[in-house]
Amino acid sequence: MDAIRNDVRHLRIGVRYRVARAFTDYDGALHPVGETWRFGGAAFLPYEDGYTFYVSADGVNETSFRMQDRPETQGGFFVDAAAHISAVRPESPPLASATTAGSVTAAAALAAAAASAAHSTGGSEARTVSVSAPAGTLSHAGNRVTATTPLPPFRFSLSALRERRRVARARYRAAARRLRLNPPMWLILGSLPAAAFVILYGFQAHARGEKISFGRYGVFNDYPWWSAVIYGAVWLVAALVGLMRKLVRDRGRRADGPS
């Protein structure tokens, strides 16, 4: 079972930190200046004033090291932990990506405007230039250029909602037709006399006062006569329904086909 991990001092779970002042952990391992890792939390051992720091240098593989908050061990580290470990601030990219909602022409216009704005800036002077373009607005500050595009306004349309519902209904019906059984005509026509024979066999058993023996693998059970009649009737109705669907489907195909 994993230990419960918490923040400790100024260290927050998920933030990347850099060692600003070298220190040695409880096991004697040295953590030099410049060592960076992502903090994954710390488990606390109350009766020993101990901590287990979980860190990840590459963001994938996690390791751990132990610390003890006592004057004779790592107490100096916990007194001024912020001086030993500092957070790493992510560097902003020199050119932010532009979210284009227009055509390629609008993107080319933004690129040309960015080049002219960067060329017109003298030295290291920082100023902001706003350029109107079909795809959005471009701003230049120092050696960084940012192009942004406003999101299109959201419009609610009742006709569009009805069209989406109609398309969804058509897809549902098409999927239902694909899943529907489509037995061949010879099987449907052969089921009609077979169902009628089962019904007739049930009535004959009733007339003779006998029960129907049915089974397989050498084990037979006796059933009342009306069980065969009900089974045959259900079979007959299913065959008739299948025959009607088959005729209607074939008639529709002939109507849709070329005359």
Side-chain angles (χ1 to χ4, degrees):
M1 182 177 180
D2 295 337
I4 299 176
R5 303 184 184 185
N6 299 302
D7 300 331
V8 57
R9 297 298 190 272
H10 70 292
L11 303 179
R12 299 294 178 265
I13 296 177
V15 180
R16 193 167 192 84
Y17 292 93
R18 177 180 179 273
V19 177
R21 184 184 301 175
F23 65 93
T24 304
D25 59 23
Y26 181 79
D27 297 307
L30 176 65
H31 297 267
V33 176
E35 179 181 292
T36 59
W37 29 257
R38 188 177 302 277
F39 184 63
F44 180 57
L45 190 62
Y47 51 86
E48 290 290 342
D49 296 328
Y51 291 87
T52 301
F53 283 51
Y54 297 92
V55 298
S56 175
D58 56 359
V60 178
N61 300 314
E62 190 177 63
T63 59
S64 63
F65 61 89
R66 298 186 296 176
M67 303 286 287
Q68 190 177 34
D69 189 6
R70 289 185 180 179
E72 64 273 12
T73 52
Q74 287 77 44
F77 171 86
F78 290 96
V79 170
D80 195 4
H84 288 79
I85 300 177
S86 60
V88 178
R89 296 183 179 179
E91 297 181 357
S92 56
L95 181 63
S97 59
T99 304
T100 56
S103 60
V104 179
T105 305
L110 283 177
S116 61
H119 183 71
S120 62
T121 304
S124 60
E125 297 178 358
R127 61 175 180 172
T128 302
V129 180
S130 297
V131 181
S132 298
T137 303
L138 180 142
S139 62
H140 178 272
N143 61 348
R144 291 186 300 173
V145 180
T146 304
T148 58
T149 301
L151 294 175
F154 174 76
R155 296 180 180 178
F156 177 78
S157 175
L158 186 60
S159 59
L161 180 61
R162 291 177 178 174
E163 181 66 18
R164 288 195 295 269
R165 291 184 60 185
R166 187 188 65 80
V167 173
R169 190 181 297 109
R171 291 179 178 177
Y172 174 78
R173 291 177 179 175
R177 284 195 298 269
R178 287 194 298 268
L179 294 176
R180 186 180 302 165
L181 296 178
N182 188 19
M185 182 63 74
W186 63 267
L187 182 61
I188 297 176
L189 296 179
S191 298
L192 296 176
F197 174 77
V198 172
I199 296 175
L200 181 61
Y201 181 74
F203 281 114
Q204 288 179 352
H206 174 61
R208 293 193 300 266
E210 300 175 353
K211 290 186 177 181
I212 300 174
S213 297
F214 179 79
R216 56 182 178 177
Y217 306 122
V219 178
F220 292 88
N221 296 321
D222 294 333
Y223 297 93
W225 64 271
W226 48 263
S227 62
V229 175
I230 294 177
Y231 179 79
V234 173
W235 191 2
L236 181 62
V237 171
L240 292 175
V241 172
L243 179 61
M244 293 178 60
R245 288 182 176 178
K246 191 77 171 179
L247 294 177
V248 171
R249 190 180 299 112
D250 294 343
R251 182 182 302 175
R253 290 177 180 175
R254 287 195 299 267
D256 295 337
S259 56

